Amino acid sequence: MIDLHAHTLASDGSDRPDELVAAAATAGVEVLAVTDHDTVEAVAATRAAGERLGVEVLAGCELTATVGDRVVHVLLYGEGLLEPDLAGAVGVARRGRDERNRAIGERLERLTGIGYDDAAAVAGDCVLSRAHFARALVARGAVAEVAEAFDRYLSSGRPAYVPAPSVSVTDAVALAAKAGGVAVLAHPGRLAAAERDRVVAQALEAGVDGVEVWHSQHDADLRRSLDALVARHGLLATGGSDYHGRHKPDVRVGTGTGGNVTVPGEHLAALRDRLASAGPGCVGSALAERPNEAKGVIYR
Ligand code: AMP
Ligand code: MN
Ligand code: MN
Ligand code: MN
């Protein structure tokens, strides 16, 4: 059993690395990639736990990226991501997230008297998001419910809204290449159906190495059409549950939702071949040529 997409407390999962690995081992997972949002912070601890429990742990992360005017998620896999300079580049969107949250907090405080600290208190150990600002507004009686908080203040176009930080898919691809790794477009099934084909085509044009075919939110029809698409383009096909622990209780590590994540071993073999054949720094030097590029992309 293979699961190439899972989160820990380092982003918005509920599990510590050892808890994630214990859940994976219990489910029968043999190969697990830890793919926290915009960080590789939990990889080492997850791997250490994996060594104790007999689960192989691959290094990964899930970058928040933009292609055209749309936000997509890009999974990066590769040992080179753990190199300090690349781990730092992976964290760009995350560091931008704190700036963004502070900007939202300032706006909201001017509007309602409820700000960053209130939302941070609601978030506790979780990665702060607009959902926590919304819950803080509800808790303090500024709005009746979360939906109203988004409608009045937090949704795009409303007065406390600040766009989420991201990197371009092109930069995500360059970062993966610099790490000797690969970039995979995550869960196309979460894109609006009307624009899915266009956004996927743009991501392929930007040079992603593969597409996530098996995912908790992909039905059989979508899996079939994505499988055909990657075969047509000679790309990697990956899959994973997108496990978030108790924050997404329907999603099981290793198997997804109702057993819809079943990654064939041949695809893992193809991924391993790609990771083995590209030594760190051997391909794609776009970021090396533009070392400060990643610093400037926060609100793109
Ligand atoms: P962020 O990543 O900070 O942009 O916040 C995203 C969070 O806000 C996610 O948990 C979403 O489910 C939640 N969210 C976004 N829009 C809405 C909405 N209109 N109503 C309720 N929750 C929302
Ligand atoms: Mn998440
Ligand atoms: Mn995602
Ligand atoms: Mn994810």
Side-chain angles (χ1 to χ4, degrees), residues 73-84:
H73 289 171
V74 179
L75 294 159
L76 306 193
Y77 300 105
E79 280 301 300
L81 296 170
L82 303 178
E83 300 290 328

Side-chain angles (χ1 to χ4, degrees), residues 86 170-181 278-290:
L86 295 181
T170 308
D171 285 344
V173 167
L175 180 52
K178 185 154 187 262
C282 291
V283 285
S285 53
L287 279 185
E289 287 156 12
R290 296 178 286 141

Side-chain angles (χ1 to χ4, degrees), residues 44-72:
T46 307
R47 179 166 289 162
E51 279 164 11
R52 287 194 298 276
L53 292 179
V55 178
E56 182 186 356
V57 173
L58 303 183
C61 63
E62 183 175 14
L63 285 192
T64 311
T66 41
V67 62
D69 57 352
R70 288 290 174 261
V71 174
V72 295

